[in-house]
Amino acid sequence: MKRCILSISLIIFLPLFLFLMAMVISPSVRFSVFRSVSELPTIATFFTIRKYIKAHDFVNSAVGLDRQLWVMTKSGTSRSSLLRGLIRNTEMVIASAELTRDFAALQPFLKRFVAHQPNVFLPRLWLAKSLVYTDPKAAFPHLEKAAH
C-alpha cells in the first residue's frame, strides 16, 4: 500500500518538480509561461463577447469588457500586460457598433476604461466617438486630450 502511494505521489510531483526546475533555470520558459497566462483573460473575453457581437448585443459585450477591465485593474500595475488584449477586444466591439444605441451601451465601459488608463489614445478616441452620438460637446475635451 505504501509503495502504491509512493508511486502515485512520484507520478504527480515529478512533473511538477521538472516544470519548476525549468522555470528556475530557463528565462525563456518563464517568459513563455508568463505570456501565456497573461493572455488567458483576453482569450476568455474574446470567446465570451464574440457571440454577443454577432447578435449585436452591445450591453452584454460591455459587461464582458468590464470584466476584463476589472481583471486588469486587480493585476496591480498601471501599464499592465493585459492592456493590449483589452484594447484588441474593445476594438473588435467598436468596429461592430453601428447604431447610436450601440455606442450608448458602450459608453459606461469606455468611461471606466478612460478613467483607469487616461493617457492611452485609443480608449479616449472611442469614448469621443461614442459621445458624438449622445453628447457631442462632451466629445471635444476627449479629442483634445487624445491629440496631445
Side-chain angles (χ1 to χ4, degrees):
M1 183 69 172
K2 282 187 174 188
R3 187 173 178 94
C4 181
I5 292 174
L6 183 64
S7 298
I8 291 173
S9 60
L10 186 63
I11 290 171
I12 292 172
F13 290 114
L14 185 63
L16 180 63
F17 177 75
L18 292 174
F19 174 74
L20 290 176
M21 287 303 296
M23 295 281 289
V24 169
I25 294 171
S26 174
S28 63
V29 172
R30 269 195 314 267
F31 180 74
S32 298
V33 169
F34 171 76
R35 295 296 302 156
S36 299
V37 169
S38 67
E39 288 292 323
L40 287 177
T42 301
I43 294 167
T45 302
F46 171 78
F47 285 111
T48 302
I49 64 176
R50 187 173 62 167
K51 63 183 174 188
Y52 297 129
I53 291 171
K54 288 180 181 178
H56 289 281
D57 183 0
F58 290 94
V59 172
N60 284 322
S61 295
V63 169
L65 291 170
D66 256 332
R67 217 174 294 124
Q68 189 177 359
L69 178 64
W70 180 82
V71 168
M72 189 177 80
T73 58
K74 295 303 176 189
S75 69
T77 59
S78 61
R79 297 293 281 188
S80 173
S81 61
L82 302 172
L83 178 62
R84 183 178 52 200
L86 181 59
I87 287 176
R88 268 186 300 184
N89 284 335
T90 306
E91 189 172 31
M92 181 177 63
V93 173
I94 293 289
S96 301
E98 299 169 342
L99 305 174
T100 303
R101 70 172 183 244
D102 300 342
F103 287 104
L106 294 171
Q107 258 182 34
F109 159 72
L110 290 170
K111 287 179 181 177
R112 284 188 288 280
F113 194 6
V114 167
H116 186 265
Q117 295 289 333
N119 298 326
V120 180
F121 171 75
L122 284 175
R124 226 174 246 293
L125 190 63
W126 295 327
L127 178 58
K129 183 177 180 179
S130 72
L131 287 170
V132 164
Y133 295 102
T134 58
D135 187 11
K137 289 183 181 180
F140 287 112
H142 293 289
L143 288 173
E144 288 174 5
K145 288 181 183 176
H148 294 297

